[in-house]
Amino acid sequence: MIRSNIGLTAIIALFFFSACSGLKYVPKGQKLYESTDFDIHFKNRADSDKDLEGILQGLVPLEPNTKFGISRPALWLHYIVKEPKKEKGLKYFLKYRLGEKPVYVSDIDWAIIDKKINYQLQDRGFFNHTVSRDSVVKKKTTTVKYSIQLGKATRLGKIERLSADQEIKHSLLRPIAGRTAVDSAKVYHYEDLELERSRLADSLKNRGFYYFSPEYIHYVADTLRENKVMDLDFELSQNIPDYAYKKYRISNVYIYDYHNAKDSVNREGAQQIGPFKYVNFKNYVNPKVLEKGILIRPDTTYNYEASVMSSQRLMGLGTYRFVNIRYEPNPQDSMLLDANIYLTPRYKKSLQLELEGTSKSNNFIGPGLNLNYINRNAFGGAELLKIRPRFSFESQYGTDSSTVSYDLQLDASLEVPQIWAPFPIASKSAFLPKTKIGANLKAKSIQSQVLLFSAETSYGYKWRSKAWKFFEWDPMFVNYIIKFRTSPEFEEVLDNNIRLKRSLQNQLILGTRFNYTYNELLKSRKKPIQFYMSLNFEMAGNLLHLLNTGTLGADKADNPMKIFDVPYSQYVKFAPDFRLYFNLRHDRQWILRAFGGIAQPYGNSSSVPFVKQFYGGGPNDLRSFRSWGIGPGGYRPDENNSVSLDRSGELKLGFNAEYRFPMISVIKGAWFVDAGNIWTLEKQDSFPFGEFTFDHFYKQIGMSAGFGLRADIQGLFVIRFDFATTVLSPKGNGSEWMLNQVNPLSGTWRRNNLLLNFAIGYPF
């Protein structure tokens, strides 16, 4: 019966998708553009260019019509809706907004594409090559195929940056050093030569040559050498204007601290504060803060890098919408420049509402509400104040008993654009370091079984070495956790689970934590493959233990020492997160993610605090399992057991794979697979099959699969609906295969096996 239902469902789905393909509406003589494929053969393996295919694909301006499986619903909609009389109204919206115009292979001149491909191959060092184009024609579609045979790549030989006949001007180029874009033996790339010209020009501008431009440097290529070697000679061009050879100094630095494009500019009456002159001074941000952010100074040589870094530091404050730095000649001395810095503020305050939720087939449903208040200049020093009240609620409906969970918390943080430390710390980077003070109050009730109260405060620092390299270090955080009450049923659980009982006792956590994030998605240049990494390290209790015992790790777990009659926790925790983003053509993306963590108690603790343990499930994890709905290991509670709070562990492994693609307008789709589980590090009588062992852990992996719909409003927010079902469910020393039970036509199966996750933002 189940198999027949699956077959019927497949037939219905196939019929629907075929009907929406839109192919039968393609006009006679036209062919829909399907794709362009490149078959590239390198003569030498050492010349292989992994970026070449992506670059060549970028030369084809056609985007095929969006497909969903075998169907093209947007194209079908465009065909069936009649041409509207006006560029507005319902018909226009259906045909041109939700619908998608057909993309025909005849829309472009492929001979022009052939020429662009030949030019691009030469720009990548392949001067000897052959290119042939063919087409695979079907009834209504065409795929274009290129076959490319590449000869030996031309490599760079000797590189000179000064000609012998230009000794008079040699002082310009001789001192230039730094990371070069061209090196001997490297394959010739035209783009690298242009980057080297820009680097040389920027180096000169950093030494005061304000008017120097890359166009004043040219290169001579000697291709007469054998074995595909090209010598380069970078030279100064002829007829360079005299002012480009002159070094300029800064005379005045004018600050427009609350600039509006409509404001009239009048420097008369400019107010001198520190090294800068303020025009129409509003005192919006404390001048001392601006002085730290601006690296341009009067009576110094003009420096291009200082100008760029000043702009980045001021934008990094988060207070300004625009930062514009302009230079103009000083009226009294043509060898001097006046710097004008125009600062346009952002809205000082903002309020954002976020809604999230989950719906579980076992009758659990829960919305979440986040309110984000931001003040970008709280006390006049570009301080960033964030206040986040958050409330989430989960209940079980359709049952005789009432099971309720809620999470009520208030999170506040203040970021100051300077380092508050006992000793001065100077920073010359493009990003101002910040001091962060945080506080959090939380009341958490889980499944009507236990009510916890937590209060935390922290003090730390945030800084960046690059836009995509982020560091955060809290030298100290203090977290006080109180167990207010428990239900009688849960007290029985605690009596049989000493580990859980100790993790939920009243306790004090005094520790330090560090985070390093490397995020290539923040780089200005989008690469075919982008990498993300986040490393989180946390350690607690060492200072208190050292003061009490004189050692860091003396075992007091059986009789823990106390501060103010409260045991303090001692543990170490590490949680990494790795992601790979494969950026495909036509706004498609593959994402692979591996994450997890391990936490180990020692010294004064026999268990990791409950709030620091790992759990499985949720809208950003295993999406067919609710939070605390899987593990540890192959442990399964009784089906009638409403208490899942104890399902936590000290070790976690998680994996996600997600394929994202456009559908209609702002609507995007995603297919995803999630896998992972949690484990305890030691054997627990209350968790049979729950401990981590190398012999069995890989057999106890849970797996989810599903489909997501996302409304991606670029620049604003993403509304996400993820539908998931369980593929593998851990049980004992293995996992139970669930696909043989799939029956989407059965209401009972859907209620018991489908999970809807509703949230704001992408899961990762």
Side-chain angles (χ1 to χ4, degrees):
M1 181 65 180
I2 292 177
R3 290 182 178 178
S4 62
N5 286 335
I6 294 175
L8 179 60
T9 303
I11 292 172
I12 294 174
L14 183 61
F15 176 78
F16 173 77
F17 287 133
S18 299
C20 295
S21 68
L23 293 180
K24 71 176 183 178
Y25 300 102
V26 176
K28 185 178 181 180
Q30 291 284 12
K31 302 292 183 183
L32 286 179
Y33 170 70
E34 189 75 30
S35 66
T36 301
D37 299 333
F38 289 89
D39 186 15
I40 305 173
H41 299 275
F42 295 90
K43 184 175 182 179
N44 293 337
R45 179 177 296 181
D47 296 336
S48 296
D49 188 340
K50 63 180 181 180
D51 298 327
L52 182 58
E53 182 174 351
I55 292 172
L56 297 182
Q57 288 280 8
L59 299 177
V60 182
L62 293 182
E63 295 263 351
N65 290 110
T66 303
K67 292 180 68 176
F68 181 64
I70 62 174
S71 69
R72 298 173 177 84
L75 174 66
W76 171 79
L77 185 62
H78 177 87
Y79 275 132
I80 66 170
V81 176
K82 293 183 179 180
E83 188 68 31
K85 296 180 180 180
K86 299 179 180 180
E87 293 186 0
K88 59 181 180 180
L90 180 60
K91 281 188 177 181
Y92 183 83
F93 176 78
L94 292 174
K95 190 175 185 69
Y96 291 102
R97 297 300 183 189
L98 292 182
E100 195 174 78
K101 293 178 65 176
V103 180
Y104 300 121
V105 73
S106 60
D107 286 348
I108 62 171
D109 186 344
W110 287 94
I112 295 177
I113 304 301
D114 296 345
K115 291 181 180 180
K116 290 183 177 181
I117 291 174
N118 281 288
Y119 292 147
Q120 187 60 244
L121 293 175
Q122 293 179 22
D123 288 347
R124 304 290 290 185
F126 297 101
F127 292 94
N128 293 330
H129 62 265
T130 59
V131 178
S132 61
R133 170 169 49 89
D134 197 5
S135 297
V136 178
V137 181
K138 296 183 180 179
K139 187 176 181 180
K140 295 290 186 178
T141 64
T142 295
T143 298
V144 179
K145 291 185 175 291
Y146 279 94
S147 177
I148 300 176
Q149 302 289 333
L150 299 176
K152 184 178 180 181
T154 297
R155 294 181 177 271
L156 299 180
K158 185 179 180 181
I159 300 173
E160 294 287 346
R161 292 180 175 82
L162 176 66
S163 295
D165 60 351
Q166 292 184 308
E167 286 298 324
I168 295 177
K169 300 165 184 174
H170 75 283
S171 60
L172 282 177
L173 294 178
R174 179 172 292 173
I176 294 177
R179 186 176 180 181
T180 179
V182 293
D183 288 306
S184 297
K186 186 178 180 181
V187 173
Y188 162 83
H189 285 174
Y190 171 78
E191 183 183 30
D192 290 344
L193 272 60
E194 293 301 302
L195 289 174
E196 180 65 4
R197 291 176 67 196
S198 296
R199 186 191 75 86
L200 293 172
D202 290 346
S203 298
L204 290 170
K205 294 174 77 170
N206 287 338
R207 292 168 36 232
F209 297 92
Y210 173 74
Y211 289 104
F212 204 89
S213 170
E215 67 188 44
Y216 299 152
I217 299 174
H218 70 270
Y219 46 84
V220 178
D222 181 4
T223 59
L224 297 179
R225 289 184 56 180
E226 298 178 353
N227 298 322
K228 295 292 181 180
V229 176
M230 176 188 294
D231 292 337
L232 289 176
D233 190 359
F234 286 89
E235 299 178 348
L236 295 175
S237 302
Q238 302 295 325
N239 302 321
I240 298 177
D242 290 338
Y243 56 78
Y245 288 114
K246 295 179 180 179
K247 280 189 176 183
Y248 291 84
R249 294 180 64 81
I250 304 299
S251 176
N252 301 298
V253 180
Y254 294 100
I255 308 290
Y256 304 79
D257 71 322
Y258 202 93
H259 179 66
N260 188 311
K262 299 179 180 179
D263 293 343
S264 59
V265 176
N266 185 3
R267 291 181 182 172
E268 292 184 8
Q271 188 173 345
Q272 184 80 43
I273 302 177
F276 309 135
K277 295 180 179 180
Y278 288 79
V279 181
N280 299 329
F281 183 51
K282 299 294 194 302
N283 197 23
Y284 182 65
V285 172
N286 192 321
K288 292 183 178 180
V289 175
L290 297 181
E291 186 174 338
K292 292 180 180 179
I294 299 172
L295 301 178
I296 307 167
R297 291 291 184 271
D299 198 29
T300 60
T301 301
Y302 166 78
N303 186 291
Y304 172 73
E305 185 177 353
S307 184
V308 173
M309 291 178 63
S310 296
S311 179
Q312 291 175 331
R313 287 159 73 102
L314 291 172
M315 286 297 293
L317 293 175
T319 306
Y320 298 106
R321 186 181 181 187
F322 301 114
V323 174
N324 194 356
I325 302 178
R326 301 174 186 170
Y327 293 88
E328 59 185 27
N330 182 275
Q332 282 76 39
D333 191 336
S334 62
M335 295 301 295
L336 297 177
L337 297 172
D338 289 337
N340 299 276
I341 303 178
Y342 301 91
L343 306 176
T344 303
R346 300 174 63 182
Y347 288 115
K348 182 178 179 179
K349 302 174 183 179
S350 66
L351 192 64
Q352 184 180 20
L353 185 67
E354 295 180 355
L355 186 66
E356 59 185 13
T358 60
S359 175
K360 177 63 176 176
S361 54
N362 64 356
N363 295 332
F364 274 99
I365 186 168
L369 187 66
N370 298 336
L371 190 64
N372 298 329
Y373 169 79
I374 299 177
N375 189 322
R376 298 178 177 86
N377 190 27
F379 305 107
E383 301 90 354
L384 181 63
L385 175 64
K386 296 180 180 180
I387 300 176
R388 293 189 66 205
R390 182 181 185 276
F391 175 73
S392 61
F393 177 84
E394 185 180 80
S395 65
Q396 188 173 35
Y397 63 91
T399 60
D400 295 334
S401 61
S402 175
T403 305
V404 177
S405 297
Y406 65 82
D407 189 331
L408 179 64
Q409 61 178 299
L410 178 64
D411 187 71
S413 65
L414 179 68
E415 296 181 11
V416 182
Q418 57 182 300
I419 295 294
W420 287 347
F423 45 85
I425 299 177
S427 172
K428 295 295 183 181
S429 75
F431 305 93
L432 283 172
K434 297 183 178 182
T435 299
K436 179 181 178 182
I437 302 171
N440 178 275
L441 298 175
K442 180 189 296 185
K444 189 177 187 69
S445 174
I446 306 177
Q447 296 179 12
S448 304
Q449 303 298 328
V450 61
L451 175 62
L452 299 175
F453 177 79
S454 170
E456 179 180 311
T457 183
S458 62
Y459 181 89
Y461 308 106
K462 300 171 62 176
W463 70 97
R464 295 176 185 265
S465 59
K466 299 286 186 181
W468 55 90
K469 294 181 181 180
F470 177 78
F471 302 84
E472 188 167 2
W473 175 44
D474 289 344
M476 183 182 70
F477 72 90
V478 182
N479 192 358
Y480 181 48
I481 303 170
I482 302 174
K483 181 181 67 176
F484 267 165
R485 67 170 183 265
T486 56
S487 66
E489 297 88 351
F490 193 64
E491 282 294 338
E492 294 182 10
V493 174
L494 294 181
D495 290 339
N496 296 320
N497 191 332
I498 301 301
R499 166 186 165 275
L500 180 62
K501 187 173 186 178
R502 288 177 174 174
S503 71
L504 282 168
Q505 67 184 352
N506 295 349
Q507 53 198 294
L508 178 69
I509 303 175
L510 174 63
T512 183
R513 55 194 173 203
F514 178 81
N515 167 263
Y516 169 66
T517 300
Y518 178 91
N519 187 0
E520 289 187 344
L521 276 70
L522 298 177
K523 288 188 175 182
S524 57
R525 184 180 179 185
K526 189 175 182 179
K527 300 194 301 182
I529 301 176
Q530 293 173 296
F531 177 63
Y532 171 94
M533 174 180 67
S534 179
L535 305 176
N536 294 277
F537 177 79
E538 187 173 310
M539 181 178 288
N542 286 349
L543 179 60
L544 293 176
H545 211 62
L546 181 63
L547 294 175
N548 276 332
T549 66
T551 65
L552 292 177
D555 190 0
K556 299 287 184 180
D558 293 334
N559 186 23
M561 304 189 73
K562 300 180 180 180
I563 298 293
F564 304 117
D565 203 33
V566 178
Y568 59 85
S569 299
Q570 195 170 12
Y571 65 90
V572 61
K573 180 180 179 180
F574 176 65
D577 188 345
F578 304 97
R579 306 172 195 172
L580 277 175
Y581 294 81
F582 297 87
N583 298 307
L584 310 176
R585 296 195 71 199
H586 316 308
D587 200 24
R588 290 165 169 79
Q589 197 176 47
W590 262 110
I591 305 99
L592 300 179
R593 180 190 184 204
F595 64 103
I598 185 170
Q600 177 65 57
Y602 64 97
N604 203 53
S605 299
S606 60
S607 62
V608 178
F610 176 77
V611 295
K612 301 297 181 179
Q613 293 183 16
F614 300 101
Y615 65 89
N620 301 323
D621 194 344
L622 282 157
R623 280 167 273 190
S624 69
F625 296 87
R626 52 186 296 274
S627 300
W628 288 285
I630 185 174
Y635 166 74
R636 279 194 186 178
D638 185 275
E639 291 184 359
N640 297 319
N641 182 13
S642 62
V643 179
S644 64
L645 175 61
D646 55 343
R647 303 181 74 173
S648 59
E650 295 85 29
L651 189 146
K652 179 174 184 174
L653 292 175
F655 307 92
N656 303 105
E658 185 164 295
Y659 174 61
R660 299 171 185 168
F661 53 91
M663 293 182 65
I664 300 175
S665 186
V666 298
I667 305 300
K668 296 186 177 182
W671 296 103
F672 59 83
V673 176
D674 309 319
N677 205 343
I678 59 169
W679 293 266
T680 60
L681 292 179
E682 297 180 356
K683 187 175 182 179
Q684 305 287 336
D685 292 338
S686 55
F687 290 136
F689 310 106
E691 75 279 8
F692 179 87
T693 64
F694 284 100
D695 294 336
H696 299 111
F697 85 93
Y698 60 92
K699 302 176 184 177
Q700 297 172 324
I701 295 293
M703 184 178 293
S704 304
F707 174 74
L709 287 173
R710 290 87 187 267
D712 190 346
I713 313 299
Q714 295 291 340
L716 295 176
F717 56 86
V718 175
I719 301 176
R720 172 164 58 98
F721 297 89
D722 285 341
F723 301 85
T725 188
T726 302
V727 177
L728 283 174
S729 180
K731 183 178 182 180
N733 283 325
S735 291
E736 183 180 4
W737 187 253
M738 307 296 290
L739 285 184
N740 58 352
Q741 303 176 21
V742 171
N743 186 8
L745 298 181
S746 167
T748 302
W749 181 89
R750 293 195 302 271
R751 285 193 300 272
N752 294 332
N753 294 277
L754 287 182
L755 171 69
L756 167 62
N757 295 277
F758 167 58
I760 303 296
Y762 286 107
F764 44 85

